[in-house]
Amino acid sequence: MFIPPSAWFTGFIPDLPSPFDASDGIDLKAFAAQCERQIAAGVPALVVCETAGEAPTLSPAEQTLVIRAAVDVARGRARVIAGAMSNATSRAVELARRAEAAGADAIMCAVPSYNKPMQEGMLAHFRTIAGSTGLPVILHDAPSRTLRPLADETLLRLVESRQFVGLRDGSGDVARPMRLSRLLPTGFRLLSGDDATTFGYLAGGGDGAISEISNIAPDLCRTIFSQVRQGRLQTARYLHKRLIPLIACLSKESPSALKYALSTLGLMSPATRLPIVPLDDAARAEVMRAFVAIADEELIDGLGA
């Protein structure tokens, strides 16, 4: 039965890292365990082959392998959103088609990095990708990685097509949901892509977050979202504030810090692929101090495996 994206593209959705084994291949066992852990925590969807997944270093065949693994684990219990990110439109089209064939429920397409396209170029890029697949398309705006943001005006032109169903907003602009909510089609979802400003984004009317911290504390993130939705902003603010030191570590050295944090929970190896390298001793110590800061009696349940 078809369930519209507006029903599941909401709340905290983890941006899953891609675990590597000792031979630098995809560790499918660790990946499946991470998917299962997130689904058990009640996440509505999983994002794979995107920022935390080190997508630029994965071959198309590896991306297909990861997507199929997520689909096989999810078995309809959560939706699978597959990254189709490239600064070459033709390669993004290939990845979108592969994602559809592998069983993904939606694709996520980022503003191209390095090329710095003008707004008309972004418009053509996203429309070309959407035209290559029947899947819903989620846009990803990450100005810190692309230098050129997806302008509100361009977004409003894109959503004239109902195939575009949501935005992962990494701009940190917490006023964006309030600014755009009355201009967007009913059912279009705005999710924060910046963990540090997620509370403000949700309080301003955002629909959720595509999150790295949710990989570590999915239950706690779900509680934060629930508290905001129930109008208990003081509690949600307190919980989010307690996560800020760890969020800062993750954002400083992503995804190395995320993988190291998950390795301390026994969930995967901290191995990365060049040009990303594992954390040095000082950075590992900083991550551990951030863990200590949140592992008190009130928050420890949110860190359980």
Side-chain angles (χ1 to χ4, degrees):
M1 182 178 65
F2 173 74
I3 300 175
S6 58
W8 53 260
F9 191 56
T10 183
F12 274 79
I13 297 173
D15 183 356
L16 295 177
S18 301
F20 300 128
D21 58 26
S23 301
D24 196 39
I26 304 295
D27 186 342
L28 289 177
K29 182 177 180 181
F31 180 71
Q34 178 70 346
C35 291
E36 189 62 54
R37 176 176 182 261
Q38 293 292 324
I39 292 168
V43 300
L46 307 168
V47 170
V48 301
C49 302
E50 239 272 350
T51 306
E54 297 175 78
T57 71
L58 303 181
S59 69
E62 286 178 320
Q63 294 205 29
T64 297
L65 185 68
V66 169
I67 296 165
R68 284 179 175 161
V71 170
D72 288 345
V73 173
R75 301 190 308 277
R77 295 175 296 162
R79 305 297 162 179
V80 175
I81 303 167
M85 56 187 298
S86 176
N87 61 352
T89 304
S90 60
R91 185 169 188 269
V93 163
E94 177 192 355
L95 293 174
R97 289 172 173 164
R98 281 177 168 269
E100 185 170 18
D105 296 287
I107 57 170
M108 182 173 289
C109 302
V111 172
S113 61
Y114 189 78
N115 302 31
K116 297 199 298 184
M118 72 252 323
Q119 295 297 317
E120 288 297 327
M122 294 181 204
L123 193 72
H125 175 76
F126 290 127
R127 284 177 172 171
T128 299
I129 298 168
S132 72
T133 176
L135 293 178
V137 178
I138 297 162
L139 301 162
H140 183 184
D141 184 22
S144 66
R145 294 177 180 271
T146 64
L147 297 183
R148 289 196 175 177
L150 178 67
D152 289 353
E153 294 77 14
T154 304
L155 176 63
L156 293 174
R157 291 172 68 187
L158 286 167
V159 300
E160 291 172 2
S161 166
R162 292 303 178 97
Q163 192 174 356
F164 295 99
V165 299
L167 172 69
R168 177 182 185 174
D169 185 1
S171 69
D173 182 358
V174 298
R176 205 171 194 182
M178 290 183 285
R179 190 169 67 244
L180 291 177
S181 60
R182 285 183 286 185
L183 302 175
L184 292 167
T186 301
F188 188 90
R189 301 300 186 210
L190 295 170
L191 273 70
S192 171
D194 175 41
D195 277 324
T197 56
T198 287
F199 169 75
Y201 202 90
L202 294 176
D207 298 295
I210 307 294
S211 169
E212 286 199 9
I213 195 71
S214 181
N215 283 287
I216 299 169
D219 295 320
L220 182 55
C221 289
R222 186 177 181 182
T223 299
I224 291 171
F225 182 71
S226 173
Q227 293 296 302
V228 172
R229 284 298 172 94
Q230 294 176 48
R232 298 172 180 170
L233 298 184
Q234 185 173 352
T235 301
R237 184 187 299 110
Y238 167 77
L239 294 174
H240 184 257
K241 184 177 179 180
R242 293 297 300 273
L243 287 175
I244 288 296
L246 187 53
I247 288 171
C249 290
L250 299 186
S251 64
K252 186 186 300 183
E253 300 293 352
S254 174
S256 293
L258 173 61
K259 285 189 161 183
Y260 175 70
L262 291 171
S263 77
T264 67
L265 296 175
L267 296 171
M268 67 176 61
S269 162
T272 57
R273 279 185 178 171
L274 290 173
I276 304 298
V277 296
L279 297 184
D280 60 24
D281 290 344
R284 288 198 296 269
E286 186 178 0
V287 170
M288 290 311 299
R289 285 193 297 270
F291 262 123
V292 171
I294 62 175
D296 62 20
E297 184 177 348
E298 295 178 52
L299 301 181
I300 192 67
D301 289 342
L303 294 172

